[in-house]
Every structure is written in structure tokens, then in C-alpha cells.
Amino acid sequence: QVQLAESGGGSVQTGGSLRLACATSGYTGQPFFVAWFRQVPGNEREAVARLYTASGGVLSYSDSVKGRFTISQDIHKKIVYLQMSSLTPEDSGMYFCAADLTRASQQNRRFDPTAYQHWGQGTQVTVSS
């Protein structure tokens, strides 16, 4: 089991930046995958970025955020960050971090929310025009 807790959401204007944090705890096993997803009411959960928690782990980004968002981690603190820049109103939503401990998200399922077993409660991001 792993517990996830997001923080860092808030309200910004278009073009602004935010850094989200996902604190992981309760798991001392092998490295695993952590992904950030976002969701607006009425829409499906959309993946934005993913990393593998081993040092030098592979990073992945969705096309919608590539070049604007950066996922990173502090291995010692067990925190995964999502640095978001050049934000637009389309980036608004509830942002969740999720963990895949079973490697179900490998290959073509890396952005499939059903491949992640553990989820945080989410943090709200609102970008105004």
C-alpha cells in the first residue's frame, strides 16, 4: 500500500505557473510509477505526466502539456512534483497523483487511469483568463 497526498493547487491567471506536490508514504518496496492526472466535471480523467520513482526514471508527458509541464521527484523526501508553466484556462481542473505498484501501466497503458491502484484526494487548479 502507498498513500498519496497532493498539495500546491490554487488560482492563477493565464500564463502563470504553479508547482504541485505529491507526497508518497507507507511503501518501502521496489520503485513504482507515479502519474499526474487531471479532471474537470463531466470529463474523463486525463493523464498529463508520469515518472518511475527510481533514480533517472523515465519521464512521460501527454501532448497537451509537453514543453509546459515538468514532472520531477525528490527521492529522499519521496515527493513527486509537477511544475506547470504557461498555464491556460484549459489546464483548470482537479489534479490527482496516482501510483502503479504492479507495473500495469507499462507499455501502452502508461496514461490509462485504470492501470493505477492508488490515488490521492486531489488538488484544485483554476486558471483564469
Side-chain angles (χ1 to χ4, degrees):
Q1 291 286 335
V2 62
Q3 288 77 50
L4 307 166
E6 303 94 335
S7 62
S11 297
V12 296
Q13 293 188 326
T14 296
S17 300
L18 280 174
R19 188 177 78 160
L20 307 182
C22 173
T24 69
S25 62
Y27 182 72
T28 58
Q30 295 296 312
F32 52 96
F33 294 100
V34 175
W36 283 97
F37 290 81
R38 64 187 180 189
Q39 188 172 27
V40 296
N43 287 10
E44 294 184 352
R45 203 161 285 191
E46 174 196 9
V48 296
R50 181 183 94 142
L51 63 66
Y52 186 58
T53 59
S55 178
V58 175
L59 312 179
S60 300
Y61 297 94
S62 68
D63 289 342
S64 62
V65 305
K66 200 172 294 183
R68 300 187 299 121
F69 290 14
T70 302
I71 190 170
S72 63
Q73 63 178 327
D74 184 322
I75 291 178
H76 298 294
K77 294 183 178 178
K78 298 184 179 181
I79 299 175
V80 175
Y81 298 101
L82 185 68
Q83 178 67 48
M84 307 185 295
S85 302
S86 302
L87 288 164
T88 73
E90 288 68 36
D91 295 314
S92 296
M94 185 70 77
Y95 281 69
F96 300 89
C97 63
D100 169 26
L101 273 59
T102 69
R103 298 176 182 260
S105 65
Q106 288 192 119
Q107 299 179 355
N108 62 350
R109 294 189 67 199
R110 67 184 188 277
F111 289 152
D112 180 352
T114 66
Y116 294 81
Q117 305 85 42
H118 306 280
W119 293 81
Q121 295 299 308
T123 186
Q124 179 68 38
V125 172
T126 303
V127 185
S128 58
S129 58

